[in-house]
Amino acid sequence: MKGQSEDKLIIHLPSLIHRIGGDNVKKAKLIAKKYGCELKRVRRSRNWQVSGEPCAQRKLSDSLNFSEPEAFQYLIRKIDERLVIINENSESREEQLKKLVFENPNITLAELMAVTNCSIAEARLARFEVDLL
């Protein structure tokens, strides 16, 4: 079994083919490989994941955004959301949640929980506090 470096970041992408299409997934795999990232299916499920160094994933996101932002919107959003969380490790979880809700008011509680690994109570509290602002 391969050892993973601590700097490697894995971002889960549920139902990727259904969201961006098979042809776009093939293009994204090639672009990801170019930047040292790996876009692959999780076992035999419909879920996918992208793994790689955070700086490589930033370059991947920028490249996808530059090439075809409409086609890769879901993938770009998932990568960017996770990188924001990684970059803000100095902030408390509550501050991270509030910032995510403030920047994206339509984010669901499930998405908040997936991005920050928080509880549903913490996600609800953050939503409530941002709504009060």
Side-chain angles (χ1 to χ4, degrees), residues 78-93:
K78 289 299 237 181
I79 293 171
D80 289 348
E81 284 175 355
R82 186 65 188 267
L83 290 174
V84 165
I85 297 302
I86 296 300
N87 290 335
E88 296 175 348
N89 280 338
S90 61
E91 290 183 349
S92 68
R93 183 180 292 175

Side-chain angles (χ1 to χ4, degrees), residues 102-123:
F102 187 74
E103 290 174 352
N104 184 5
N106 295 329
I107 193 167
T108 65
L109 293 177
E111 289 172 335
L112 280 173
M113 291 167 51
V115 170
T116 62
N117 294 324
C118 70
S119 68
I120 192 161
E122 291 172 316

Side-chain angles (χ1 to χ4, degrees), residues 40-56:
K40 65 179 184 177
R41 230 170 107 183
V42 177
R43 292 187 250 11
R44 297 181 64 165
S45 71
R46 65 181 181 172
N47 299 321
W48 288 69
Q49 69 184 21
V50 62
S51 60
E53 306 270 331
C55 61

